[in-house]
Amino acid sequence: MRHKISKFFCFILCIVCVTLSASAAKEILTVQFYDVNNAKYVSRQVTTVDLVCDGEVLTPDVPALIDRGRTLVPIYIIGDLLNAQVEWNQEFRRAQITTADKSLILTIGSSLARVNGQEVELPDGIPAALVKYNGADRTMVPWRFVAEQLGATVEWDPDTYTVTMFFEREAEPESLPENDEKPQEDAENEMNQDIDEPVEEEPEPPLIPPFTSLEELVVVLDAGHGGSDPGAINEFVEEKEINLAVTLMVSDRLEEAGVQVYLTREDDSHVSLSERTTFANELLANIFVSMHSNAAEDAPSAHGIETYYYSDDREGAILASCVQKNVIETTEAKNRKTKTANFYVCKNTLMPAVLVEMGFLTNANESLLMVTEEYQQLIADGIAEGILDYAESIIEKNGAIKSLRFFTCLKGGRLLETRG
């Protein structure tokens, strides 16, 4: 009898264990993954995951899911939570996540990522993916890898299939106990304060000074990457070297025309993105131009030059057109035209700003040109001529001062008083 009862309780225990295990597992969904090799979407069953950030449960339109043991989340969540700028390049199926001091590039289907220009193997080789579910189409990226690269802490609970992310926050100042009294000197100072003293208002953002001649024009030139951040790399050269070489040539050309030129870096040093924009803003520069070299490992035939500006920067669009037109004329490279992007240095500068991608280091023919001093000079001449064309068009305008003040206000999203 005891033997039968023992078997019965074992049977019940097994049922309970199976039930608990089943309850711990998350929902199984059928989603569509983009197959890079066959250029089509294929159906796949995946397990969903709960996302929690600082105690808040997140509910993205395409749920977080497990792909071969790694959690993937929609990239827009990364941007929202970590205050990062997210860029998507449809042509190369490449996502870029940028903060003030970190740049991550992930390519759909590639097990390699670039962190501040350096190639890094993704954990378990699980790449970013394009996923469709319930009418939504999202770029999904490895959650832990991206979050930890950007300074967050990630924890995994296998019992509840929950991923939790934490941020390091500065400690709150300790408050005084209710019975503690302030020092006598502080108390007397407070008593002596004028109760009618007006509250100090925050100062308005600085106005960019107008220029009415090339001698008054202030231009900041930015050689992308540098120091420990090499940028794109091929067997001949690192991007940072070409960027600096062309920047110095542009500087020489502008100074010959009488322009006041400042450089974010003049040697192989590392300068953060925030330091670059702060430098330009504190100078109250009139124009900001950043030099970069492109790369597309999955599209080695890609070539040509393109110039980017921030979408809300109307004058930046005009500056980009001037630069692009002239650099194509001098180099006779393929015209990849002007494009909008939320690049940090374009978005966070007060003045019109553009970023020039001067060619592809991943293209065998173009990269051979880009390492030559002759071709670098052609690029520099085109960029310099574009800057001068734009500046001269501003100078020629009858209302140059008001025009300059007006576009500066628009870019910063603020309405500042203009003076003639």
Side-chain angles (χ1 to χ4, degrees):
M1 180 67 178
R2 289 181 179 176
H3 184 64
K4 289 183 179 179
I5 292 176
S6 177
K7 281 188 175 181
F8 175 75
F9 278 110
C10 286
F11 175 71
I12 294 298
L13 182 60
C14 287
I15 292 177
V16 170
C17 290
V18 170
T19 302
L20 290 175
S21 176
S23 65
K26 297 301 295 180
E27 184 179 4
I28 303 296
L29 296 180
T30 299
V31 300
Q32 290 185 305
F33 271 72
Y34 184 76
D35 184 341
V36 176
N37 294 327
N38 296 308
K40 65 178 182 179
Y41 281 89
V42 295
S43 295
R44 187 189 300 177
Q45 285 193 325
V46 296
T47 303
T48 61
V49 173
D50 283 337
L51 297 180
V52 177
C53 179
D54 282 356
E56 179 183 354
V57 178
L58 309 177
T59 55
D61 50 6
V62 174
L65 53 86
I66 295 178
D67 179 22
R68 290 166 286 177
R70 290 287 171 178
T71 301
L72 302 183
V73 301
I75 194 171
Y76 74 85
I77 286 184
I78 298 290
D80 293 343
L81 294 179
L82 299 178
N83 194 28
Q85 295 180 18
V86 175
E87 294 292 329
W88 170 249
N89 187 312
Q90 178 63 34
E91 181 179 1
F92 305 120
R93 297 191 181 89
R94 182 172 65 195
Q96 181 164 355
I97 305 169
T98 307
T99 63
D101 59 357
K102 191 67 72 78
S103 172
L104 278 67
I105 298 177
L106 299 100
T107 303
I108 301 301
S110 174
S111 62
L112 299 175
R114 282 195 177 276
V115 179
N116 285 347
Q118 296 184 335
E119 206 167 68
V120 176
E121 180 80 27
L122 289 168
D124 296 333
I126 305 302
L130 295 178
V131 176
K132 287 183 178 181
Y133 173 72
N134 201 25
D137 189 352
R138 296 296 180 190
T139 301
M140 310 287 282
V141 296
W143 174 254
R144 180 183 292 273
F145 173 79
V146 173
E148 291 182 347
Q149 285 290 336
L150 299 183
T153 300
V154 176
E155 293 183 357
W156 164 250
D157 185 345
D159 295 330
T160 60
Y161 278 64
T162 300
V163 176
T164 304
M165 184 170 70
F166 304 93
F167 299 100
E168 289 188 7
R169 305 196 185 277
E170 294 184 2
E172 294 288 336
E174 293 184 6
S175 58
L176 290 172
E178 291 183 4
N179 295 330
D180 281 7
E181 295 182 356
K182 295 183 179 180
Q184 182 66 24
E185 182 180 351
D186 291 347
E188 290 177 358
N189 288 339
E190 287 188 6
M191 292 176 64
N192 292 331
Q193 285 182 354
D194 185 354
I195 59 174
D196 294 327
E197 184 178 348
V199 177
E200 185 178 347
E201 296 181 358
E202 291 187 6
E204 286 186 341
L207 291 170
I208 302 299
F211 61 94
T212 56
S213 68
L214 290 180
E215 288 72 23
E216 296 176 358
L217 175 63
V218 178
V219 175
V220 169
L221 299 178
D222 174 47
H225 306 283
S228 59
D229 176 10
I233 302 173
N234 67 15
E235 58 183 312
F236 305 111
V237 69
E238 294 179 342
E239 178 188 349
K240 63 179 182 179
E241 301 171 24
I242 295 178
N243 297 346
L244 181 59
V246 173
T247 297
L248 294 175
M249 292 176 180
V250 176
S251 176
D252 289 343
R253 176 70 180 83
L254 292 179
E255 287 181 342
E256 289 174 1
V259 176
Q260 302 176 53
V261 181
Y262 295 85
L263 307 180
T264 58
R265 69 179 181 96
E266 302 181 45
D267 52 24
D268 186 22
S269 55
H270 175 74
V271 184
S272 72
L273 297 178
S274 60
E275 289 173 328
R276 297 169 195 255
T277 56
T278 299
F279 176 71
N281 291 339
E282 290 182 349
L283 274 173
L284 299 180
N286 302 108
I287 292 172
F288 180 96
V289 179
S290 184
M291 267 60 70
H292 283 257
S293 304
N294 223 330
E297 290 86 352
D298 295 335
S301 62
H303 64 286
I305 299 173
E306 55 198 13
T307 304
Y308 288 88
Y309 62 95
Y310 180 51
S311 58
D312 289 347
D313 185 4
R314 187 173 65 179
E315 286 294 320
I318 300 173
L319 173 60
S321 294
C322 290
V323 170
Q324 182 70 12
K325 173 180 176 294
N326 280 275
V327 77
I328 294 301
E329 287 179 357
T330 58
T331 61
E332 298 184 350
K334 178 182 177 180
N335 187 358
R336 297 177 64 86
K337 304 181 179 179
T338 62
K339 302 176 181 179
T340 60
N342 291 332
F343 289 133
Y344 189 95
V345 294
C346 292
K347 182 177 180 180
N348 293 283
T349 40
L350 295 175
M351 66 293 304
V354 299
L355 185 149
V356 188
E357 292 282 8
M358 304 178 293
F360 285 78
L361 293 182
T362 47
N363 181 283
N365 294 327
E366 192 163 61
S367 63
L368 288 176
L369 281 174
M370 293 174 69
V371 298
T372 66
E373 185 176 344
E374 293 77 14
Y375 191 72
Q376 290 172 2
Q377 188 65 62
L378 292 176
I379 296 173
D381 289 345
I383 293 174
E385 286 301 321
I387 293 171
L388 294 173
D389 280 358
Y390 171 77
E392 288 167 355
S393 72
I394 293 294
I395 293 170
E396 290 172 3
K397 290 180 181 179
N398 184 40
I401 295 178
K402 290 185 178 180
S403 173
L404 285 167
R405 294 280 177 83
F406 181 61
F407 72 67
T408 300
C409 298
L410 280 182
K411 180 174 181 182
R414 298 177 290 272
L415 183 58
L416 305 179
E417 180 183 358
T418 61
R419 296 194 298 272

